[in-house]
Amino acid sequence: MVITDEAFNLSLVKNYLRVDSNEDDTLLQLMIDSAKSYIQSYLNQPFESYVDIPVEFTLAALNLVAQWFENRAVGSEKATHEYLYNFTGLLDIHRKWLPETSVTA
């Protein structure tokens, strides 16, 4: 499975979240688009730079959307830490690490 409009779409997200109604479709689509952008930014490279998109990207995107959809308010520090641990655990192995820049005074 790859993160494309065909594979990571509203139908997949609604199935993952177990949402049956169409009431939140606009919100979910916004979250889908945001999750794709967020992941590419975190990876420091666009999806197009990958020959094959790792399945971890789809799972990370699903987890992002689920987090945003189910917790529409700022959560506890513990919940945020657990969420970030899972997210980075899925994506760090694929991340393009940028060289550290030193700041001189």
Side-chain angles (χ1 to χ4, degrees):
M1 186 179 300
V2 297
I3 290 195
T4 63
D5 291 336
E6 295 79 34
F8 187 70
N9 58 32
L10 185 60
S11 177
L12 174 67
V13 169
K14 287 174 73 171
N15 185 45
Y16 183 78
L17 296 174
R18 297 185 177 154
V19 172
D20 294 324
S21 73
N22 297 331
E23 186 176 311
D24 292 314
D25 284 3
T26 302
L27 175 62
L28 287 171
Q29 188 59 56
L30 174 68
M31 291 176 176
I32 290 167
D33 295 341
S34 297
K36 290 178 184 179
S37 178
Y38 187 90
I39 290 170
Q40 290 177 95
S41 178
Y42 182 81
L43 293 170
N44 295 314
Q45 54 191 335
F47 294 141
E48 293 80 22
S49 67
Y50 293 88
V51 174
D52 294 312
I53 301 292
V55 294
E56 294 90 354
F57 294 7
T58 301
L59 186 55
L62 286 169
N63 284 322
L64 269 176
V65 172
Q67 173 73 16
W68 293 336
F69 187 73
E70 295 167 0
N71 302 295
R72 298 184 197 188
V74 177
S76 70
E77 185 175 327
K78 180 182 177 189
T80 301
H81 178 73
E82 289 173 1
Y83 158 74
L84 288 175
Y85 178 78
N86 289 329
F87 180 78
T88 59
L90 287 167
L91 296 180
D92 278 357
I93 58 174
H94 303 287
R95 189 174 188 194
K96 180 180 180 181
W97 294 93
L98 300 177
E100 290 188 27
T101 57
S102 59
V103 178
T104 56

